[in-house]
Amino acid sequence: MSTTTRVLQITDLHIRSAPTSKFMNTDVDTDVTLQSVLDEIHANEPADSIVVATGDLVQDPVEAAYQRLKLQLTGSRNRYFLMPGNHDNPVLVRRVCNKDNSWCVGQQVLGEWLTLFLDTSDQPERPDGLISRAELSRLERTLAVCGNKHVMLFLHHPPVQVGSPWVDAIGLRNSDELFAITDRYPQVKGMVFGHIHQQFEAARKNVRLIGSPSTCIQFKPRTEHFEIDALPPGYRWFDLNADGTFETGVKYVHARLKQAV
């Protein structure tokens, strides 16, 4: 009998260390935008949905910001898997957030699927991404023994160009090393990432490459320089089917936009 597992992705939360602080040079309160997305998930998604947060959990990589994020997540009925991005401190993420209903782990089995969480933040204080040698070795070891499990990779930085030169300059630096491994394992069905604050879909050798909007502001696609889009906060959903296929889409939280900007 075929079964489907619902997985949600939130990304680029950019929670600040103090309440009511604004994001970059905007009027956006990232506490409000994140809460509007969580409210939408609680109201309209199954209670047992897995939520993967693919990095840039905070804007200020200090303990107070992670404590504030953890407080927002603790009241949720969902289970969260948290990953660091270039704005994060991985040590603080694990120390503050790895408890109760949120975990900082390298992988998780979900039915016939294996979700692998890859850390691309191996270069502090740089906006672009890098997967460490140790992390690449972990990936290869895991793929070599995963058998017939279908594999979905989650990472923060995009491994491909998305069509905006300023964003492409801060993507994953060693994507060729990543693809050199994944190209040899047909179990890999998709790579899902954040960082780009926008929807994106492409394919490479039968692997779907999927980028997602932020829970705060969105970047306007295909722009030469930084430009904010008018789209509201959002998240992505996945239905992972037991046969290795999956469906995905994005939901924007239009009802809360005026409170967020």
Side-chain angles (χ1 to χ4, degrees), residues 95-114:
R95 189 170 81 198
V96 177
C97 300
N98 192 25
K99 55 187 176 182
D100 303 320
N101 64 333
S102 60
W103 298 275
C104 307
V105 296
Q107 64 190 60
Q108 180 70 22
V109 174
L110 302 173
E112 297 303 312
W113 286 79
L114 174 67

Side-chain angles (χ1 to χ4, degrees), residues 183-198:
D183 284 351
R184 293 185 283 107
Y185 293 93
Q187 300 98 317
V188 179
K189 307 299 184 183
M191 297 186 186
V192 182
F193 48 89
H195 194 58
I196 63 174
H197 289 239
Q198 62 192 264

